[in-house]
């Protein structure tokens, strides 16, 4: 029986292959006949005069026309607020389809093609808590493309919405797609949400994307076809996706394909949710608050923040021309002369620009008008006659592999209708390329133009006024990257700006009635709870201390802490949003002596997002100057296992093998992660390369799975380890304790465990610096709370923080951010230091760092950030100049801040020369005596 089944299977495969070969043969023959039938085309009137088959010509309202004007969105305040809310607080409950799904799909479905049917669908969907959505697009015979079909599936029924017939009425569904209480399930929604905006002004709120769930679950494949086969046992023919979805009626196969894409999505989503919950249970530790389901929801709703934007270039066809020129000339090598290259580039630019305008005028795709291969062929050997032009295009298209476009006429109807224009472009009769386009537009769309005006091309005349200058760089609309940047900025402001006023301007009085400082409500409660003060006023709140404080600000000529402060950006005065900004970077400040940093709010100011970015950029630039001045690189060059380095240093060959030992920490971490997650599936050559990287860390010895897990943790702070476990879902079964690698900064260390490689240091400090910062697990956002106190944690924790901008949040997708509340400002026992003279510039002359710092790495510092650099700089200052050196170092950073931003709204009393020193009073938790007492109690 088994042999018989094998025979039947073999025969079926053979027949299938034979049929496929025949279909390709006949398609090829038909393709070549159709191509050759068109190579004798001649100039004639525009084909659109007779061709009335394009369905988009019946559209009465088009939101995205073919002009160079920007796309206009609806007012999105309400919708975007709901999306931000879902990103901040993802939905906890998901209820899709439970039980086993039947792999056999029923014959019943609802075809929606009238407005009344569309309204009935709206009534159905508004009562649902979840429904699945998919779209089918047509892009070959349209410049921007349009949505030809929308598939919607509820738990009970499938709907196919004819968006061609209902194009002008699809706005009926806007409310249900924007309803935040109804979950919309898509697969790979990145394009769908943009297409719905482009065609119907439909904005999706509350989205669950099964592709994002696949990312979190590290599925081997993320396609819908894979999910359908895995969970439902259903196979689909994805070639149907390339069918012409404009045709009506749809074939039976196309209807079946369209239904399947949405019909099973709810069940698949339910399966993925179950797996996400299970994964969270298996790998999460008791204190781990990471929720895979919520993370999938959050990532899905981030997609909804995208906004559609036209891709408009500085000059029509510029990017395509640049790409074609580069690819062709690179293939020619050094054979081409300079003259040939210049002439070729000019012709490619002309043809790409002409193709762009013709595609807009006729509402055709670029590949339909003129293929890339045809442009290269025409520019490489410019034909002299109209017949030669047609033959060149036909031959170039014949040489292209068969594809779903292979039955298209060659040359296209557009070329045949405007063959004279192509001939003119190929002749060097026009000196200025800009002069061509007013002529072409006038010839096509002018009062006696050859091409019919339509709702899609009319705006070319209205908006451009026959002047190419309107598409120049000066007037170019915002690109999609700019839109993405604006979206990222809005999200950053929404998520990380202060949610409540930072300064409460509450007052603390001494027991003799003199004002000591302004602070927040939490600080007042601290004193009142311990019965160290009494409430003397309610509005604004004020307390009087019941003990004698350590010092008085007016006694020491320091009035910064006795001034009320405004909740505005200190640079520009923006009051709608603001973030805390630490003038002295935390990578240095956390290593300051306690009495120079704790509860000192002088160097923490409020900045809006834009000013924050300017300040951050200036600080990063100055860090590089500090690194060069002190001879202490910003990043660790190499790390090596501390156990193996003793063996290496004792070897007589160690001097010659130095370059082969040790590895940059980022490279080590990346290699270990790749091997742990994808090692068995990697090509053997690539796997061996990554193994060699990890082996260099271990001194060249053979490594085990436990070594890989340990290498992944090298140089991570405790916070980084926790976050890695949450994000990647990796359980470190073999890791037994932390590995303490040797830092290898190129600072002239004399100990044998150090490896110096100037080239490696140079790479990390320049081109790799951004990458290293992006991977730095210590980049943390600070969530605003009630005060503006110094929330820097103690130096013994060693956490390296950096100032983060909204531009960085687009790279990291913001999901790794952790919110941590700050401490209170000031203290009842603050010692208010007198400030120095505020004239002149701050200078600090010092010797170069001699590199005698410990080579052993502090396990609480991340090796990928600036923490090791900051620690060495502060240690050097304290060793060479004591606390005065640290104070002058702070003054230099304040001067950098002032010069970069020129702040106009700094609080009264703020001064570059502020000393920052303080003594601790009797009740201060930072008083050494109290610290010693706490240690005894513990």
């Amino acid at each position: 029986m088994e042999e018989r089944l094998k025979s039947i299977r073999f025969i079926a495969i053979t027949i299938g292959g034979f049929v496929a070969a025949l279909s390709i043969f006949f398609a090829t023959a038909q393709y070549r006949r159709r191509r050759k039938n068109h190579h004798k085309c001649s100039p004639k009137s525009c084909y659109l005069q007779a061709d009335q088959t394009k369905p988009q010509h019946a559209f009465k309202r088009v939101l995205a026309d073919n002009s160079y004007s920007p796309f206009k969105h609806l007012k999105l305040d309400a919708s975007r607020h709901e999306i931000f809310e879902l990103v901040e607080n993802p939905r906890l409950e998901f209820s899709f389809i439970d039980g086993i799904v039947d792999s056999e799909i029923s014959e019943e479905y609802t075809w929606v093609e009238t407005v009344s049917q569309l309204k009935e669908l709206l009534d159905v969907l508004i009562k649902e808590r979840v429904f699945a959505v998919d779209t089918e697009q047509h892009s070959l015979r349209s410049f921007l493309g349009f949505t030809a079909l929308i598939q919607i599936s509820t738990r009970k029924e499938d709907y196919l919405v004819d968006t061609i017939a209902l194009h002008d009425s699809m706005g009926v569904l806007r409310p249900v797609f924007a309803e935040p209480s109804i979950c919309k399930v898509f697969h790979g929604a990145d394009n769908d949400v943009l297409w719905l905006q482009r065609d119907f002004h439909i904005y999706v709120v509350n989205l669950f994307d099964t592709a994002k769930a696949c990312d979190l679950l590290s599925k081997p494949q993320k396609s819908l076809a894979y999910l359908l086969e895995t969970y439902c046992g259903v196979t689909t023919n994805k070639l149907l996706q390339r069918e012409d979805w404009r045709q009506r009626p749809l074939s039976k196969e196309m209807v079946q394909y369209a239904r399947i894409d949405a019909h099973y999505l709810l069940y698949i989503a339910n399966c993925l949710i179950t797996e996400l919950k299970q994964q969270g249970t298996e790998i999460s530790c008791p204190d781990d608050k990471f929720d895979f389901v919520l993370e999938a929801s959050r990532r899905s709703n981030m997609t909804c923040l995208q906004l559609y934007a036209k891709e408009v270039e500085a000059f029509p066809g510029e990017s395509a021309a640049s790409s074609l020129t580069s690819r062709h000339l690179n293939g020619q090598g050094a054979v081409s002369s300079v003259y040939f290259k210049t002439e070729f580039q000019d012709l490619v630019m002309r043809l790409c620009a002409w193709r762009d305008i013709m595609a807009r005028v006729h509402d055709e795709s670029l590949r339909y008008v003129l293929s890339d291969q045809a442009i290269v062929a025409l520019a490489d050997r410019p034909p002299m006659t109209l017949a030669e032009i047609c033959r060149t295009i036909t031959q170039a298209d014949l040489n292209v592999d068969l594809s779903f476009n292979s039955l298209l006429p060659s040359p296209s109807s557009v070329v045949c209708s405007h063959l004279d224009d192509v001939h003119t472009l190929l002749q060097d009769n026009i000196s200025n390329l800009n002069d061509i386009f007013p002529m072409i537009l006038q010839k096509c769309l002018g009062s006696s133009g050859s091409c019919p005006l339509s709702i899609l091309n009319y705006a070319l005349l209205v908006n451009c006024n026959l002047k190419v200058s309107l598409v120049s760089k000066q007037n170019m609309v915002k690109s999609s990257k700019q839109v993405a940047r604006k979206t990222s900025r809005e999200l950053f402001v929404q998520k990380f700006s202060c949610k409540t006023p930072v300064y409460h301007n509450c007052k603390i009085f001494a027991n003799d009635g003199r004002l000591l400082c302004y602070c927040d409500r939490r600080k007042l409660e601290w004193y009142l709870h311990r019965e160290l003060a009494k409430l003397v006023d309610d509005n604004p709140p004020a307390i009087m201390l019941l003990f004698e404080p350590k010092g008085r600000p007016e006694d020491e000529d320091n009035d910064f802490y006795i001034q009320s402060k405004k909740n505005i950006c200190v640079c520009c005065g923006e009051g709608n949003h603001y973030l805390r900004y630490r003038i002295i970077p935390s990578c240095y400040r956390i290593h300051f002596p306690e009495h120079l940093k704790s509860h000192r709010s002088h160097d923490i100011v409020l900045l809006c997002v834009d000013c924050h970015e300017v300040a951050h950029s200036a600080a990063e630039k100055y860090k590089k100057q500090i690194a060069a001045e002190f001879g202490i690189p910003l990043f660790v060059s190499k790390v090596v296992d501390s156990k193996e380095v003793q063996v290496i240093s004792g070897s007589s060959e160690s001097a010659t093998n130095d370059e082969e030992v040790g590895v940059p920490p980022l490279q080590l971490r990346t290699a270990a992660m790749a091997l742990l997650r994808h090692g068995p599936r990697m090509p053997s050559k690539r796997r061996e390369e990554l193994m060699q990287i990890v082996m260099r860390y271990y001194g060249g010895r053979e490594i085990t799975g436990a070594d890989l897990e340990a290498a992944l943790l090298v140089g991570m702070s405790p916070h980084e380890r926790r976050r890695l476990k949450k994000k990647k879902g990796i359980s470190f079964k073999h890791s037994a304790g932390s590995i303490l690698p040797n830092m290898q900064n190129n600072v002239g260390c004399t100990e044998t465990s150090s490896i110096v490689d100037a080239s490696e240091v140079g790479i990390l400090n320049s081109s790799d610096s951004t990458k290293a910062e992006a991977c730095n697990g210590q980049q943390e956002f600070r969530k605003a709370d009630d005060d503006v106190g110094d929330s820097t944690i103690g130096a013994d924790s060693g956490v390296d923080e950096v100032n983060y901008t909204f531009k960085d949040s687009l790279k990291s997708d913001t999901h790794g951010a952790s919110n941590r509340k700050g401490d209170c400002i000031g203290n009842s026992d603050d010692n208010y230091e007198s400030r120095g003279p505020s004239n002149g510039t701050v200078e600090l002359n010092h010797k170069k760092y001699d590199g005698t710092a410990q080579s052993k790495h502090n396990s609480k510092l991340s090796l990928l950030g600036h923490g090791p650099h900051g620690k060495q700089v502060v240690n050097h200052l304290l060793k060479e100049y004591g606390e005065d050196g640290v104070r002058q170092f702070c003054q230099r950073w304040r001067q950098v801040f002032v010069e970069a931003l020129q702040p106009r709204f700094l609080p009264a009393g703020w001064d570059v020369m502020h000393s920052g020193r303080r003594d601790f009073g009797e009740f201060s938790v930072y008083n050494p005596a109290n610290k010693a007492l706490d240690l005894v109690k513990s």
Side-chain angles (χ1 to χ4, degrees):
M1 185 66 180
E2 185 176 350
E3 292 296 328
R4 185 180 179 184
L5 289 174
K6 288 183 179 179
S7 299
I8 294 173
R9 190 179 298 112
F10 175 76
I11 293 171
I13 293 173
T14 304
I15 293 174
F18 179 70
V19 171
L22 281 177
S23 63
I24 293 175
F25 173 78
F26 287 117
T28 304
Q30 186 182 12
Y31 163 61
R32 293 182 180 274
R33 284 197 303 271
R34 293 188 64 175
R35 292 286 193 184
K36 290 180 179 179
N37 287 340
H38 285 82
H39 82 274
K40 295 182 179 180
C41 71
S42 57
K44 57 184 179 180
S45 61
C46 182
Y47 70 101
L48 289 179
Q49 300 287 2
D51 184 4
Q52 300 298 324
T53 61
K54 299 181 78 170
Q56 59 264 45
H57 288 165
F59 297 165
K60 296 180 180 179
R61 183 166 181 257
V62 174
L63 301 176
D65 57 43
N66 296 340
S67 71
Y68 299 97
S69 58
F71 181 81
K72 294 181 180 179
H73 285 275
L74 291 178
K75 292 184 178 180
L76 305 174
D77 295 344
S79 294
R80 294 183 73 76
H81 174 75
E82 298 287 356
I83 298 172
F84 280 127
E85 184 65 28
L86 288 167
V87 172
E88 287 273 357
N89 303 298
R91 299 297 185 191
L92 293 171
E93 295 297 330
F94 292 91
S95 177
F96 299 126
I97 290 182
D98 298 321
I100 304 299
V101 68
D102 189 355
S103 61
E104 293 295 329
I105 192 170
S106 67
E107 295 292 331
E108 296 181 0
Y109 68 93
T110 301
W111 179 264
V112 180
E113 61 181 351
T114 66
V115 176
S116 60
Q117 290 176 318
L118 191 65
K119 291 180 179 179
E120 290 175 6
L121 174 60
L122 174 65
D123 294 337
V124 171
L125 296 180
I126 207 71
K127 299 173 184 177
E128 298 287 332
R129 293 301 89 195
V130 60
F131 59 85
V133 187
D134 191 28
T135 68
E136 302 299 337
Q137 299 291 310
H138 179 78
S139 58
L140 179 61
R141 301 298 306 276
S142 171
F143 181 71
L144 294 176
F146 59 86
T147 305
L149 187 74
I150 292 181
Q151 306 97 282
I152 297 176
S153 290
T154 66
R155 292 182 176 92
K156 299 178 180 179
E157 193 166 357
D158 299 332
Y159 299 87
L160 299 183
V161 182
D162 185 353
T163 53
I164 294 178
L166 293 170
H167 182 275
D168 301 321
S169 305
M170 286 301 297
V172 169
L173 295 183
R174 282 179 204 147
V176 72
F177 275 89
E179 175 54 50
S181 65
I182 303 175
C183 180
K184 278 67 70 174
V185 181
F186 286 76
H187 180 83
D190 299 77
N191 289 325
D192 292 305
V193 296
L194 297 179
W195 292 333
L196 291 173
Q197 294 173 17
R198 175 197 66 192
D199 295 336
F200 315 120
H201 273 164
I202 289 177
Y203 298 88
V204 182
V205 179
N206 192 358
L207 168 76
F208 185 81
D209 191 339
T210 51
K212 296 291 189 279
C214 288
D215 286 333
L216 279 170
L217 292 168
S218 299
K219 293 289 184 183
Q221 296 181 42
K222 301 176 179 64
S223 66
L224 182 56
Y226 167 78
L227 296 178
L228 285 168
E229 187 171 355
T230 302
Y231 294 103
C232 308
V234 174
T235 57
T236 58
N237 181 8
K238 296 306 290 184
L239 291 177
L240 289 170
Q241 187 178 34
R242 297 180 172 182
E243 287 292 320
D244 186 353
W245 289 93
R246 300 175 302 167
Q247 70 182 58
R248 297 292 185 270
L250 297 176
S251 68
K252 184 178 180 180
E253 293 78 15
M254 293 173 72
V255 169
Q256 185 79 350
Y257 170 83
R259 291 182 61 196
I260 285 175
D261 273 5
H263 178 82
Y264 295 101
L265 261 185
L266 294 181
Y267 175 74
I268 292 173
N270 190 71
C271 294
L272 294 174
I273 290 294
T274 302
E275 291 184 26
L276 287 169
K277 291 179 179 178
Q278 183 179 359
Q279 178 162 309
T281 303
E282 288 178 353
I283 71 168
S284 296
C285 58
D287 296 330
D288 198 343
K289 297 181 180 179
F290 188 80
D291 190 308
F292 283 86
V293 177
L294 298 187
E295 178 63 13
S297 174
R298 193 192 67 79
R299 292 190 187 186
S300 299
N301 282 294
M302 286 287 292
T303 305
C304 300
L305 291 172
Q306 297 180 99
L307 291 177
Y308 173 77
K310 294 181 183 179
E311 293 184 6
V312 181
E313 303 164 290
F315 200 80
E318 182 180 56
S319 62
S322 176
S323 175
L324 290 176
T325 301
S326 175
R327 282 184 294 173
H328 182 73
L329 294 182
N330 287 340
Q332 294 289 322
V335 177
S336 305
S337 65
V338 174
Y339 173 78
F340 169 78
K341 291 181 179 179
T342 303
E343 182 182 19
F344 178 81
Q345 289 174 333
D346 179 63
L347 287 176
V348 169
M349 185 67 217
R350 292 180 181 216
L351 290 169
C352 285
W354 177 85
R355 179 178 68 170
D356 183 90
I357 289 195
M358 288 295 101
R360 293 173 185 271
V361 169
H362 298 84
D363 194 36
E364 303 283 7
S365 65
L366 296 178
R367 65 181 182 273
Y368 177 84
V369 175
L370 191 61
S371 67
D372 288 348
Q373 293 77 13
I375 289 177
V376 170
L378 291 171
D380 193 34
R381 292 183 176 84
M384 302 303 295
T385 66
L386 300 183
E388 289 178 358
I389 292 174
C390 292
R391 280 196 296 271
T392 301
I393 294 174
T394 301
Q395 188 59 46
D397 290 337
L398 281 172
N399 294 333
V400 181
D401 292 337
L402 286 176
S403 67
F404 76 105
N405 294 330
S406 51
L407 298 181
L408 293 176
S410 178
S412 69
S413 303
V414 179
V415 172
C416 290
S417 298
H418 302 276
L419 198 54
D420 287 335
D421 293 341
V422 180
H423 185 263
T424 302
L425 288 171
L426 294 174
Q427 309 306 313
D428 194 17
N429 298 329
I430 302 175
S431 58
N432 188 355
L433 193 61
N434 289 342
D435 296 337
I436 297 176
F437 301 104
M439 176 186 68
I440 292 177
L441 281 178
Q442 184 63 45
K443 185 176 179 180
C444 292
L445 301 177
S447 56
S448 57
S450 61
C451 304
L453 283 169
S454 72
I455 192 173
L456 291 156
N457 64 24
Y458 177 73
L460 280 170
L461 284 177
V462 175
N463 294 331
C464 288
N465 195 26
L466 303 181
K467 292 182 180 179
V468 182
S469 60
L470 288 183
V471 296
S472 64
K473 291 183 179 180
Q474 290 76 14
N475 298 288
M476 187 174 58
V477 300
K478 291 184 178 180
S479 66
S480 58
K481 289 184 178 179
Q482 290 173 309
V483 173
R485 175 182 168 84
K486 181 180 178 182
T487 301
S488 175
R489 181 187 185 278
E490 292 174 356
L491 178 61
F492 188 94
V493 170
Q494 177 75 15
K495 186 173 181 64
F496 299 111
S497 63
C498 301
K499 306 301 187 297
T500 57
V502 172
Y503 299 118
H504 294 169
N505 290 318
C506 303
K507 298 178 182 179
I508 297 181
F509 293 97
N511 50 12
D512 60 0
R514 287 197 289 178
L515 180 63
L516 289 176
C517 67
Y518 283 84
C519 68
D520 69 335
R521 290 186 178 87
R522 196 171 67 174
K523 176 55 61 179
L524 296 192
E525 293 170 0
W526 189 90
Y527 287 110
L528 293 172
H529 179 71
R530 290 163 177 75
E531 298 183 350
L532 298 174
K534 63 180 180 180
L535 188 68
V536 295
D537 201 350
D538 291 325
N539 189 23
I543 61 171
M544 179 179 290
L545 302 181
L546 301 179
F547 60 92
E548 180 61 28
K550 184 72 175 178
R552 307 296 176 90
E554 66 273 19
D555 294 341
E556 299 174 357
D557 195 27
N558 188 344
D559 58 355
F560 173 79
Y561 292 100
I562 58 173
Q563 302 293 329
S564 62
K565 300 172 181 64
K566 296 181 179 180
N567 290 290
I568 59 173
C569 171
V570 299
C571 179
C572 65
E574 169 67 53
N576 293 324
H577 78 270
Y578 37 79
L579 303 88
R580 292 187 181 90
Y581 177 77
R582 287 160 178 77
I583 295 173
I584 297 147
S586 296
C587 65
Y588 304 112
R589 198 173 191 276
I590 60 174
H591 304 296
F592 287 179
E594 203 71 62
H595 55 275
L596 292 182
K597 68 176 181 180
S598 65
H599 291 230
R600 300 284 81 192
S601 61
H602 180 274
D603 295 320
I604 302 174
V605 295
L606 301 184
L607 293 178
C608 67
V609 164
D610 299 315
C611 295
H612 190 287
E613 186 174 13
V614 174
H616 173 71
S617 177
E620 291 303 297
K621 183 177 180 181
Y622 195 65
K623 278 184 187 178
K624 294 179 181 179
Q625 295 183 27
I626 293 292
E629 182 180 347
F630 283 75
I632 302 176
L634 282 174
F635 297 100
V636 174
S637 170
K638 285 187 175 182
V639 291
V640 66
D641 184 23
S642 58
K643 297 176 183 177
E644 301 298 329
V645 77
Q646 298 174 3
V647 178
I648 298 168
S649 62
S651 171
S652 59
E653 299 178 359
S654 61
T656 60
N657 293 337
D658 274 356
E659 293 184 359
E660 300 177 3
V661 181
V663 63
L666 177 61
Q667 191 179 24
L668 174 66
R669 190 175 300 183
T670 305
M673 174 67 77
L675 288 169
L676 283 171
R677 301 196 68 180
H678 309 292
R681 299 188 297 273
M682 281 183 180
S684 57
K685 183 178 178 181
R686 177 57 178 163
R687 183 168 60 249
E688 181 61 27
E689 290 175 357
L690 296 179
M691 291 287 285
Q692 290 298 323
I693 291 173
V694 181
M695 288 169 64
R696 286 204 302 271
Y697 168 71
Y698 287 108
R701 68 170 173 81
E702 294 296 322
I703 58 175
T704 65
D707 291 330
L708 283 178
E709 292 183 354
L712 185 61
L713 300 177
V714 166
M716 284 190 182
S717 67
H719 169 74
E720 280 182 307
R721 298 188 186 194
R722 289 192 299 270
R723 196 171 74 172
L724 176 72
K725 196 171 182 181
K726 293 176 184 178
K727 180 180 177 182
K728 299 298 183 183
I730 295 176
S731 58
F732 305 103
K733 299 176 182 178
H734 304 288
S735 299
S738 60
I739 302 295
L740 302 181
N742 291 323
M743 288 193 310
Q744 296 169 18
N745 284 335
N746 184 20
V747 293
C749 294
T750 59
E751 298 186 6
T752 58
S753 60
S754 294
I755 294 177
V756 178
D757 188 336
S759 64
E760 291 287 344
V761 172
I763 292 172
L764 271 175
N765 283 346
S766 56
S767 62
D768 283 357
S769 62
T770 303
K771 181 164 61 175
E773 285 189 72
C775 297
N776 179 11
Q778 299 317 121
Q779 292 180 342
E780 297 185 0
F781 301 107
R782 297 302 186 115
K783 185 176 180 181
D785 55 13
D786 296 345
D787 62 280
V788 71
D790 176 13
S791 53
T792 304
I793 58 180
D796 56 337
S797 69
V799 176
D800 171 30
E801 301 166 309
V802 297
N803 295 310
Y804 208 74
T805 66
F806 71 86
K807 184 162 63 177
D808 298 316
S809 72
L810 180 62
K811 297 178 185 175
S812 64
D813 198 31
T814 70
H815 68 271
S818 62
N819 299 327
R820 218 170 45 219
K821 293 194 175 183
D823 298 332
C824 328
I825 67 162
N827 203 328
S828 62
D829 51 354
D830 286 340
N831 179 30
Y832 302 95
E833 291 276 50
S834 60
R835 56 183 175 178
S838 58
N839 55 356
T841 60
V842 180
E843 295 183 359
L844 181 62
N845 299 317
H846 56 78
K847 296 177 289 184
K848 288 279 186 178
Y849 179 63
D850 62 6
T852 58
Q854 295 180 357
S855 60
K856 293 290 185 179
H857 170 58
N858 179 355
S859 63
K860 293 184 179 180
L861 279 179
S862 170
L863 287 181
L864 294 187
H866 297 161
H869 160 82
K871 183 174 179 62
Q872 293 181 50
V873 168
V874 174
N875 287 346
H876 174 64
L877 289 172
L878 290 172
K879 178 181 177 181
E880 296 292 333
Y881 312 105
E883 293 181 4
D884 288 339
V886 174
R887 275 191 284 271
Q888 291 186 34
F889 185 70
C890 294
Q891 291 164 9
R892 292 173 62 180
W893 276 103
R894 296 183 193 118
Q895 193 165 308
V896 168
F897 173 77
V898 171
E899 290 175 357
L901 272 79
Q902 300 295 318
R904 295 174 294 161
F905 302 96
L906 283 167
W910 192 94
D911 188 9
V912 169
M913 307 304 292
H914 180 75
S915 69
R917 179 180 172 81
R918 58 166 294 179
D919 290 331
F920 299 109
E922 176 184 358
F923 299 102
S924 172
V925 294
Y926 294 102
N927 190 310
N930 293 338
K931 277 193 171 185
L933 183 60
D934 290 339
L935 287 175
V936 171
K937 291 180 178 179
S938 61

